[in-house]
């Protein structure tokens, strides 16, 4: 599929298998989800531009680098919030915006209930995160919210995607790259991903 990057690193695939396992408890689920996010971020930031800086080691001055553009991380509430620490462990000075969008259980349409974003989105590299890309409605809506507020360089990071969700997202945002650890088979009649990992929010928060 166009503009979809499935990261097949062995560590990522091994951790994802553990996350999928129904016997993985809440505490471990949360830890693995954070670790997996950090590994994914390491992979997907390879093309981030850097700028040269001067660094003084204890012995002499040398040329080093730093990220050239600010990074803004936008977790989609509520499961996306747990991915935050995974990203911040690698990019600690990233700014964080929040968007609250949930999927109406009957219509499966996105409903917006909260938005708070940093002001300078135009120059930032924006990563919108949610563990699951299911119908694609919520993710597409969240990315639209971010773009309407000035973001021009946006990528979407999830851990498990469904083909239906990728196609729906693509129709709205053909140029926004999707990074995922897995592209699963299909959605069931309730909008859950098969084989998937169940309801990420419920497994994280015990709801
Ligand atoms: N959201 C989830 O948490 N799991 C799915 O399978 C689909 C959407």
């Amino acid at each position: 599929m166009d503009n979809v990057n499935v990261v097949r690193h062995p560590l990522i695939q091994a951790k994802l298998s553990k996350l999928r396992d129904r016997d993985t408890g809440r505490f471990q689920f949360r830890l693995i989800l954070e670790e997996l996010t950090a590994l994914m971020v390491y992979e997907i930031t390879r093309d981030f531009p850097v700028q040269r800086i001067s660094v003084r080691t204890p012995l002499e001055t040398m040329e080093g680098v730093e990220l050239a553009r600010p990074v803004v991380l936008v977790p989609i509430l509520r499961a996306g919030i747990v991915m935050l620490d995974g990203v911040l462990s690698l990019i600690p000075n990233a700014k964080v915006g929040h968007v609250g969008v949930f999927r109406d259980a009957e219509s499966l349409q996105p409903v917006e209930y909260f938005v708070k974003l940093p002001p300078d989105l135009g120059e930032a590299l924006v990563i919108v995160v949610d563990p699951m890309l299911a119908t694609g409605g919520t993710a597409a809506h969240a990315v639209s919210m971010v773009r309407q507020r000035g973001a021009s360089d946006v990528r979407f990071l999830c851990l498990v995607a469904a083909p239906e969700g990728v196609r729906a997202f693509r129709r709205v945002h053909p140029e926004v790259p999707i990074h995922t650890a897995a592209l699963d088979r299909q959605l069931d009649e309730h909008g859950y991903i098969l084989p998937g990992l169940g309801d990420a929010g419920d497994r994280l928060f015990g709801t």
Side-chain angles (χ1 to χ4, degrees):
M1 284 192 181
D2 273 0
N3 225 355
V4 181
N5 171 28
V6 182
V7 182
R8 301 190 197 278
H9 191 291
L11 288 180
I12 288 177
Q13 293 306 317
K15 284 187 190 296
L16 180 60
S17 301
K18 194 81 187 142
L19 206 62
R20 290 184 189 275
D21 188 335
R22 61 185 294 164
D23 293 329
T24 298
R26 189 158 58 253
F27 175 65
Q28 235 198 334
F29 189 89
R30 171 184 281 263
L31 285 183
I32 296 168
L33 195 132
E34 279 180 32
E35 287 173 351
L36 200 44
T37 304
L39 291 172
M40 289 291 289
V41 165
Y42 178 76
E43 282 291 311
I44 74 167
T45 50
R46 283 179 187 279
D47 64 341
F48 276 21
V50 292
Q51 62 194 15
R52 295 178 205 289
I53 55 167
S54 170
V55 180
R56 283 171 56 198
T57 79
L59 300 177
E60 58 183 359
T61 300
M62 63 167 286
E63 199 176 72
V65 298
E66 65 180 7
L67 291 183
R69 291 169 60 186
V71 175
V72 171
L73 177 67
V74 182
I76 301 176
L77 304 177
R78 65 193 165 131
I81 208 83
V82 177
M83 296 172 79
L84 203 55
D85 285 345
V87 183
L88 292 176
S89 67
L90 296 189
I91 315 174
N93 59 351
K95 292 184 182 174
V96 180
H98 294 87
V99 296
V101 184
F102 69 87
R103 196 171 48 142
D104 183 81
E106 284 187 4
S107 68
L108 300 184
Q109 292 305 304
V111 181
E112 184 179 318
Y113 65 92
F114 185 78
V115 55
K116 185 86 179 167
L117 294 165
D120 48 359
L121 291 179
E123 55 177 296
L125 298 159
V126 179
I127 311 175
V128 178
V129 298
D130 196 353
M132 312 300 278
L133 178 61
T135 61
T138 303
H141 192 82
V143 170
S144 297
M145 289 161 74
V146 167
R147 295 179 84 189
Q148 280 157 12
R149 287 162 178 85
S152 57
D153 192 333
V154 185
R155 57 212 74 204
F156 182 76
L157 169 61
C158 61
L159 302 178
V160 182
E164 296 91 329
V166 170
R167 281 193 288 272
F169 185 92
R170 272 282 144 272
R171 280 195 287 278
V172 188
H173 301 293
E175 67 294 356
V176 173
I178 298 170
H179 300 278
T180 182
L183 186 56
D184 275 9
R185 192 176 70 246
Q186 67 183 92
L187 293 180
D188 73 4
E189 65 278 20
H190 305 292
Y192 281 99
I193 299 176
L194 296 172
L197 50 75
D199 189 306
D202 286 354
R203 291 192 67 183
L204 283 165
F205 303 119
T207 44

